[in-house]
Amino acid sequence: MRGQYEHYNILPLYALGVKPAIMELPEIKAAIDAICRVDNLPIPVIRARPDGSNDDSTMPMDRLKKVNDILDWIASVVGFQKGNVANQREHLILLLANMNIRNSAESTNQLHAETVEKLMATIFKNYKSWCDYLHCESNLRFLEDYDKQQMELIYIALYLLIWGEASNIRFMPECLCYIFHHMSREIYTILFETVTGSKEQLEGRDDEFFLREVISPIYQVLMKEAKRNNKGKASHSNWRNYDDLNEYFWSNKCFHDLSWPLNSKADFFRHSDETHETARRGRSQATIGVYKRKSKTNFVEVRTFLHLYRSFDRMWIFFILALQAMIIIAWSSLGPVGVFFNSDAFENVMTIFITYAFLRFLQATLDIILTWNALRNMKFTQLLRYFLKFVVAAIWVVVLPICYSKSLQNPSGIIKFFTKWAGEWYALFQEPNN
């Protein structure tokens, strides 16, 4: 009677007796038949534990793993939990059924080839973009003289199982791409060795292997960094969020540093708590430096109202320049049209370009100040961009007021100051060398 009360979401895959109406739909049957083709896959062997017991058997001996479909096979090879496999099995069947019925007006008991190809393109769009960005070759490879549709379904099922068991790590899409990149290569190697006959026996893994060896170490980093934010009161420069950790996988460095299987001594796993613990034990400063916490990458948010100007600088510049021009025109007795035909009034309106230069200089300065904590981690090209932007803005701040003051016959106020300062600066360079 246990089979009648098996938990399910939409599809009662394990229901006994008369099957529900949804299980009789042709597209559902086609999807189930497609993922149940496992005759040509190597059956993994579950090794007996040292204590003489296994997960689902107390027999102290090696045994072949029972495989019902592609997801069962992947779970046995990689080590996914049973609940995750059940959820993603239903997920994959519904995805295939929905896409299959869209591709054909008539319902058939066979899965169309373009159905799996379109699902592949949808699911792996981000993965292919990630590979292109890092200039690395995609691991979505296929064997000759092998069932291509089956390999496509294996890759799709593998990604869904990784996503389903990733928990909070699924908010780091490039991290999932990194995990899938290496695990898909393992799957391809297994199938290649099966076809060539270079490996006779495939060793399976327990249900918690992926959770224990891949997800838990990364989640521990997330948990430690989340604790450092002091309930949202700590400065953003003192802890790393999802985006900061995910940016680690935006560089080829992750392949060499983190490697596969995951290297526990990689920069990604550095944390300041280890530094304090090492110092407490009295180790040398050189040793402490090895465990220094990995800092932020490209952006460190600073809590200040200046972000209102920096984030919307174009809008503020437009409003300030428009206000300045309207005040000058309103103060003049010539009217909005006559201003442009009077040289003195028109020169006053031209001061908006000086104001624009100062506002751009302010924006370039704020860029440096508000990203100061992340400057040491930026690339040389990024640092050069900030520096050149500041220098060019500073040059215009000096050049425009001087040129404007030179064009006036009787300057006053700040214009007179710039005129006098420019004259003294020019006279200084005109003096003969001693």
Side-chain angles (χ1 to χ4, degrees):
M1 298 292 291
R2 183 178 300 177
Q4 299 180 10
Y5 303 101
E6 188 78 22
H7 294 290
Y8 67 93
N9 297 316
I10 299 176
L11 300 178
L13 297 172
Y14 308 103
L16 301 178
V18 180
K19 293 184 178 181
I22 191 173
M23 299 302 298
E24 298 297 332
L25 294 176
E27 57 270 17
I28 296 293
K29 289 183 176 181
I32 293 176
D33 292 340
I35 68 171
C36 287
R37 290 199 299 267
V38 293
D39 297 337
N40 55 338
L41 297 177
I43 304 301
V45 177
I46 304 300
R47 299 294 183 185
R49 290 184 176 180
D51 58 357
S53 63
N54 289 318
D55 293 337
D56 53 357
S57 176
T58 58
M59 297 296 293
M61 62 179 63
D62 299 345
R63 70 190 191 284
L64 294 177
K65 178 71 175 180
K66 184 179 179 181
V67 174
N68 297 319
D69 53 32
I70 289 175
L71 289 95
D72 277 340
W73 182 80
I74 298 175
S76 302
V77 174
V78 178
F80 291 110
Q81 297 182 86
K82 295 180 180 179
N84 178 35
V85 175
N87 286 333
Q88 298 309 319
R89 177 184 291 111
E90 185 173 338
H91 187 191
L92 178 57
I93 292 174
L94 291 176
L95 286 175
L96 292 172
N98 292 335
M99 191 160 290
N100 197 50
I101 198 64
R102 293 194 196 106
N103 294 333
S104 177
E106 298 181 359
S107 299
T108 60
N109 293 327
Q110 187 176 3
L111 200 63
H112 301 292
E114 58 270 18
T115 297
V116 183
E117 292 177 358
K118 289 184 179 180
L119 186 58
M120 279 273 295
T122 302
I123 290 181
F124 295 114
K125 181 179 179 180
N126 185 60
Y127 170 70
K128 292 180 179 179
S129 300
W130 178 76
C131 291
D132 294 338
Y133 182 80
L134 296 184
H135 303 288
C136 65
E137 186 179 356
S138 171
N139 279 336
L140 294 174
R141 297 178 293 173
F142 300 94
L143 296 169
E144 297 182 1
D145 300 329
Y146 198 87
D147 190 349
K148 183 179 179 181
Q149 186 181 91
Q150 186 187 53
M151 291 195 68
E152 290 175 339
L153 290 174
I154 289 176
Y155 286 137
I156 295 173
L158 175 62
Y159 186 85
L160 292 178
L161 289 170
I162 293 173
W163 179 87
E165 201 150 330
S167 185
N168 289 17
I169 299 176
R170 69 184 59 166
F171 297 111
M172 300 164 56
E174 279 67 42
C175 179
L176 294 184
C177 291
Y178 177 84
I179 296 173
F180 174 81
H181 184 75
H182 290 280
M183 298 188 72
S184 59
R185 183 177 59 189
E186 292 180 354
I187 294 296
Y188 178 85
T189 303
I190 292 173
L191 296 178
F192 177 80
E193 292 175 347
T194 301
V195 173
T196 58
S198 57
K199 190 173 183 179
E200 298 181 356
Q201 196 174 63
L202 175 61
E203 183 174 351
R205 291 170 176 171
D206 62 274
D207 295 343
E208 296 183 356
F209 182 86
F210 177 76
L211 179 65
R212 181 177 63 251
E213 301 295 332
V214 180
I215 298 300
S216 294
I218 301 177
Y219 179 78
Q220 291 298 322
V221 177
L222 289 172
M223 183 178 64
K224 291 178 182 179
E225 292 294 339
K227 289 181 179 179
R228 289 180 54 80
N229 71 351
N230 192 21
K231 298 181 180 180
K233 299 178 182 179
S235 172
H236 290 285
S237 61
N238 294 332
W239 64 287
R240 295 178 290 172
N241 55 23
Y242 284 107
D243 291 336
D244 298 314
L245 294 170
N246 191 46
E247 286 180 13
Y248 181 84
F249 301 94
W250 291 7
S251 171
N252 284 322
K253 184 182 177 182
C254 64
F255 292 109
H256 309 292
D257 186 28
L258 195 58
S259 67
W260 190 267
L262 298 178
N263 179 17
S264 60
K265 296 182 180 179
D267 288 347
F268 181 83
F269 296 105
R270 288 183 184 178
H271 194 266
S272 58
D273 293 346
E274 297 174 350
T275 303
H276 299 325
E277 181 65 20
T278 307
R280 187 181 66 82
R281 295 178 181 177
R283 296 187 181 180
S284 64
Q285 292 295 326
T287 306
I288 294 174
V290 175
Y291 295 97
K292 185 178 180 182
R293 178 181 65 89
K294 184 68 176 176
S295 56
K296 304 274 274 192
T297 50
N298 295 325
F299 177 74
V300 180
E301 183 178 350
V302 179
R303 293 187 177 96
T304 173
F305 285 105
L306 293 174
H307 281 298
L308 291 175
Y309 176 80
R310 180 172 179 255
S311 301
F312 307 98
D313 59 295
R314 295 182 180 179
M315 180 187 71
W316 286 110
I317 289 175
F318 172 77
F319 285 158
I320 293 173
L321 296 182
L323 177 62
Q324 179 181 346
M326 287 188 293
I327 291 176
I328 294 174
I329 294 173
W331 198 263
S332 175
S333 59
L334 300 175
V337 179
V339 169
F340 295 96
F341 296 97
N342 182 274
S343 59
D344 294 335
F346 188 73
E347 287 179 351
N348 292 333
V349 175
M350 289 296 99
T351 57
I352 62 174
F353 292 102
I354 300 177
T355 305
Y356 176 78
F358 276 97
L359 293 176
R360 293 300 298 175
F361 178 75
L362 175 62
Q363 201 269 344
T365 305
L366 289 178
D367 281 344
I368 297 177
I369 294 176
L370 298 180
T371 59
W372 184 262
N373 293 324
L375 290 179
R376 63 180 180 274
N377 299 312
M378 291 184 179
K379 298 179 180 179
F380 174 75
T381 54
Q382 293 175 304
L383 295 174
L384 183 62
R385 175 179 173 271
Y386 278 108
F387 175 75
L388 293 178
K389 185 178 180 180
F390 178 81
V391 171
V392 172
I395 291 175
W396 282 112
V397 165
V398 176
V399 171
L400 285 179
I402 293 176
C403 294
Y404 179 77
S405 63
K406 286 290 185 178
S407 65
L408 298 179
Q409 297 180 355
N410 297 313
S412 60
I414 190 172
I415 303 301
K416 184 177 181 179
F417 168 77
F418 272 104
T419 304
K420 182 180 179 181
W421 177 78
E424 294 176 352
W425 178 77
Y426 180 77
L428 180 63
F429 283 92
Q430 292 296 322
E431 293 180 1
N433 296 330
N434 295 328

